[in-house]
Amino acid sequence: MEQPILKVDNLTKIFTRKGQPDFAAVDHISFDLMPGECLGLIGESGSGKSTTVNMITRLLDPTEGKIVLDGDDITGISGRELRKVYAKMQMVFQTPTDSFDPRCTLGDGIGESLRNNGRSRAETKAEVARLLEQCGLTAEFASRYPHQVSGGQCQRAAIARALAVGPKLLICDEATSALDVTIQKEIIALLNELRRNHGSELSILFICHDIALVQQFCDRVLVMYKGRIVEKGKPDDVIRNPRNDYTKRLIESIL
Amino acid sequence: MSEPTVRIQKIRRDTVKTRLIIFGTLAFLLLIGSIFSEHLTPYDPYLQDLSNAKAAPSAAHPFGTDRYGRDMLSRVIVGSRASIYSTLLLVAIITMIGTGVGVFCGWHGKWIDTVLMRISDMFLAFPGLVFALAVAGVLGGGLQNAIIALAAISWPKYARIARSQTLSQKETPYLKAARLSGSGTWKIIFKHILPNIMGPILVTSMLDIGTMMMELAGLSFLGLGAKPPIAEWGSMMSDTRSLITTVPWVTFAPGLAIFVSVMIFNLLGDTIRDYADPKSRSSS
């Protein structure tokens, strides 16, 4: 039995606020992601998708549960150990332009993880050029600022940044939602190409609210509703044969 | 369609650059001038000539002379050192302390943030100059103690700005991306947070130069800042207050010097803000 690259076990996040009842944004969810697999996570706004992702990337501390990445429990680690984990796990954000520091060039942003891993300036520069070309841009984009490029180009640069350290897990948090349809298609084509080239070396957790996109891109899909996973399975099965009320409504809404 | 906008942007950009050069040069000249002020004076600023006291402005004494017959132009020039450098030092101190505390509070959060912010609230709730008076009173007079007194009451403003800016920076995707890139806390603070929050802080400190110059002068007037006979614009103005109806130039000369230098630093602050805004950076 192959070991999952990511194992999420009973993950829970409860937000407590004074004078208000506790709110479980993510309520005891568990799932596995196998090497080379592309897992879709869909749900409406506020269903807990982003909270889940923030917990997996350890930007947010879970209230309860366990996250196992590539066989290591990363739930409680911090500091240096956590920074090491980020060599295995990277993320592409929803808003491409905002995901780059407005005062740094795209090249600085892409090369930051390489520099942090002890590469020299020259090595980083060459690697950044290679990554940009891999993602369909040219090396000269390295010297541009985020506001000087289009959203689609910026998202390509963001993918280049995510791939810089050679991660095993790539998390796309609504990576295509802020782009228009044609650019969306190009980014999906790029991600598909990456999957082909990396094979079982790269697993993708694809967060999305567009079930049609998930159908054409993902191997498996999880449907989240009010912090719980209400349905899981192959995209085609889920779409043809929804068992949960929310999933039915979701599918009806696009037909 | 796009060409006109590009041209407008470029023109705007060029004027910002020109302004930066002009005000930067003026400020620089002011600083250089005050360093070498002793060599630039036409007369000895401390030499008394009672036979020529309260002389009106003339070719020999462009700003006239004061009640002891000292040349006002020389005194204004020499006074620039005490006035400008103590002000700059004061502003630098409060900017650094305030920003440091603010960034620390915003980044760290939790109980230490609450404690430090309540302390800064306490400072803000005090009437500033009265508190500075108390501090200067305890420490004794002198320019150095006046700076310490004003620094003690002025840092919370910067801490507030830095804290709120840091909090908003903390939630941006690019900061999350930087953390995911494996950057440590110090690198994130110095490479991503500080450059992005420096704009408003820098403008505040540039605009504060004028205020601080006046407050230092106020403390000097009350005998808790620069001591006579040291030439300092604020104390020169205060000393000669009673003569304003009979020999106005002895008050106006240092006043004009304060006005001009405050103006230069304020305009420089404004220009730096415009220039530092990355959205005005040309795309070519």
Side-chain angles (χ1 to χ4, degrees), chain A residues 93-114:
Chain A
F93 295 85
Q94 179 172 6
T95 45
T97 314
D98 292 344
S99 76
F100 280 94
D101 188 334
R103 282 171 195 277
C104 296
T105 60
L106 296 179
D108 286 340
I110 298 167
E112 191 165 339
S113 57
L114 296 169

Side-chain angles (χ1 to χ4, degrees), chain B residues 180-202:
Chain B
L180 282 169
S181 295
S183 296
T185 306
W186 290 108
K187 186 167 181 187
I188 288 179
I189 287 177
F190 282 100
K191 193 176 170 201
H192 297 292
I193 293 185
L194 280 180
N196 278 296
I197 69 170
M198 258 349 257
I201 293 174
L202 213 62

Side-chain angles (χ1 to χ4, degrees), chain B residues 6-7 15 25 27 53 63 69 94 125 128 145-146 148 151 169-170 180 193 198 204 210 214-215 259 272 275 281:
Chain B
V6 169
R7 277 182 58 199
T15 51
T25 313
F63 285 172
I94 57 176
N145 290 341
I148 294 173
Q169 291 292 317
K170 237 171 119 177
L180 282 169
I193 293 185
M198 258 349 257
T204 312
M214 294 310 289
E215 295 206 349
F259 171 74
I272 286 177
Y275 191 77
R281 243 173 231 173

Side-chain angles (χ1 to χ4, degrees), chain B residues 8 12 77 95 129 139 180 184 258 280:
Chain B
I8 288 163
R12 202 181 95 78
I77 292 173
T95 305
L129 211 55
L139 295 173
L180 282 169
I258 291 179
S280 71

Side-chain angles (χ1 to χ4, degrees), chain B residues 1-173:
Chain B
M1 280 301 281
S2 67
E3 208 185 343
T5 36
V6 169
R7 277 182 58 199
I8 288 163
Q9 241 181 12
K10 200 155 166 19
I11 289 165
R12 202 181 95 78
R13 175 83 185 157
D14 285 348
T15 51
V16 169
K17 217 168 185 172
T18 318
R19 271 163 54 206
L20 187 70
I21 291 168
I22 292 173
F23 297 127
T25 313
L26 286 175
F28 183 71
L29 284 177
L30 209 56
L31 295 183
I32 290 290
S34 53
I35 290 177
F36 298 108
S37 53
E38 276 143 27
H39 307 286
L40 297 172
T41 55
Y43 300 93
D44 179 352
Y46 299 110
L47 184 73
Q48 301 188 1
D49 178 8
L50 289 173
S51 62
N52 197 22
K54 298 185 196 171
S58 62
H61 300 282
F63 285 172
T65 62
D66 67 3
R67 66 177 110 189
Y68 303 112
R70 297 178 295 198
D71 178 45
M72 282 313 288
L73 179 63
S74 305
R75 286 186 66 74
V76 166
I77 292 173
V78 163
S80 65
R81 182 182 283 175
S83 297
I84 291 177
Y85 277 93
S86 50
T87 307
L88 289 184
L89 183 68
L90 172 61
V91 171
I93 290 173
I94 57 176
T95 305
M96 277 190 288
I97 294 178
T99 309
V101 171
V103 170
F104 179 75
C105 284
W107 180 260
H108 193 277
K110 298 180 192 146
W111 64 271
I112 202 147
D113 174 33
T114 318
V115 171
L116 283 169
M117 279 302 121
R118 290 301 82 77
I119 293 175
S120 84
D121 281 346
M122 265 162 52
F123 280 106
L124 284 175
F126 261 88
L129 211 55
V130 175
F131 187 72
L133 266 177
V135 174
V138 169
L139 295 173
L143 206 49
Q144 190 191 334
N145 290 341
I147 291 175
I148 294 173
L150 285 175
I153 57 155
S154 311
W155 65 270
K157 184 161 81 175
Y158 292 83
R160 289 250 150 227
I161 299 172
R163 178 176 174 272
S164 67
Q165 294 278 328
T166 307
L167 283 178
S168 63
Q169 291 292 317
K170 237 171 119 177
E171 296 307 314
T172 55

Side-chain angles (χ1 to χ4, degrees), chain A residues 140-154:
Chain A
E140 65 133 350
F141 276 88
S143 59
R144 301 267 188 96
Y145 285 90
H147 65 271
Q148 294 172 338
V149 300
S150 72
Q153 289 166 337
C154 212

Side-chain angles (χ1 to χ4, degrees), chain A:
Chain A
M1 178 67 194
E2 213 178 0
Q3 184 191 318
I5 183 77
L6 175 72
K7 188 174 170 59
V8 171
D9 193 20
N10 264 323
L11 199 62
T12 305
K13 180 71 196 182
I14 296 170
F15 289 112
T16 48
R17 288 171 98 182
K18 260 184 214 157
Q20 281 175 25
D22 289 358
F23 172 68
V26 176
D27 194 359
H28 295 92
I29 65 165
S30 304
F31 64 87
D32 288 349
L33 176 60
M34 303 312 272
E37 190 185 26
C38 178
L39 179 65
L41 184 60
I42 59 174
E44 60 187 7
S45 310
S47 59
K49 303 180 303 258
S50 291
T51 311
T52 306
V53 171
N54 282 339
M55 283 193 286
I56 292 172
T57 51
R58 292 297 322 282
L59 296 170
L60 191 68
D61 286 327
T63 313
E64 202 188 319
K66 214 163 82 172
I67 305 153
V68 180
L69 181 74
D70 201 20
D72 303 319
D73 186 348
I74 62 162
T75 322
I77 62 167
S78 60
R80 198 177 296 271
E81 284 175 68
L82 181 59
R83 297 211 284 278
K84 247 184 245 164
V85 164
Y86 290 143
K88 290 182 183 170
M89 165 168 71
Q90 281 296 318
M91 174 143 128
V92 179
F93 295 85
Q94 179 172 6
T95 45
T97 314
D98 292 344
S99 76
F100 280 94
D101 188 334
R103 282 171 195 277
C104 296
T105 60
L106 296 179
D108 286 340
I110 298 167
E112 191 165 339
S113 57
L114 296 169
R115 298 282 294 152
N116 285 334
N117 284 321
R119 305 278 197 94
S120 74
R121 223 170 269 274
E123 275 177 335
T124 303
K125 201 180 167 204
E127 183 65 12
V128 166
R130 193 189 67 78
L131 286 161
L132 281 169
E133 271 156 28
Q134 187 188 355
C135 293
L137 298 172
T138 54
E140 65 133 350
F141 276 88
S143 59
R144 301 267 188 96
Y145 285 90
H147 65 271
Q148 294 172 338
V149 300
S150 72
Q153 289 166 337
C154 212
Q155 198 60 298
R156 282 172 186 272
I159 293 171
R161 170 175 64 190
L163 294 174
V165 284
K168 293 183 173 177
L169 170 63
L170 183 65
I171 300 171
C172 300
D173 185 5
E174 308 248 12
T176 55
S177 308
L179 306 169
D180 59 52
V181 200
T182 47
I183 307 296
Q184 214 173 63
K185 217 170 168 181
E186 283 176 32
I187 296 291
I188 291 294
L190 171 64
L191 288 172
N192 266 324
E193 194 188 313
L194 292 171
R195 284 179 71 193
R196 262 202 313 281
N197 295 343
H198 287 80
S200 66
E201 294 294 301
L202 184 70
S203 317
I204 297 178
L205 181 58
F206 192 77
I207 288 87
C208 196
H209 55 236
D210 182 350
I211 198 161
L213 203 60
V214 167
Q215 189 189 10
Q216 41 164 298
F217 186 65
C218 297
D219 302 320
R220 244 175 356 120
V221 62
L222 306 171
V223 182
M224 265 186 101
Y225 183 64
K226 292 195 170 165
R228 291 166 188 270
I229 292 177
V230 293
E231 186 132 7
K232 55 176 129 186
K234 287 198 159 53
D236 288 338
D237 294 347
V238 170
I239 288 169
R240 275 200 213 106
N241 211 352
R243 277 169 298 177
N244 181 276
D245 285 342
Y246 168 68
T247 321
K248 280 178 193 157
R249 284 212 313 273
L250 183 73
I251 291 159
E252 275 164 18
S253 70
I254 56 160
L255 290 179

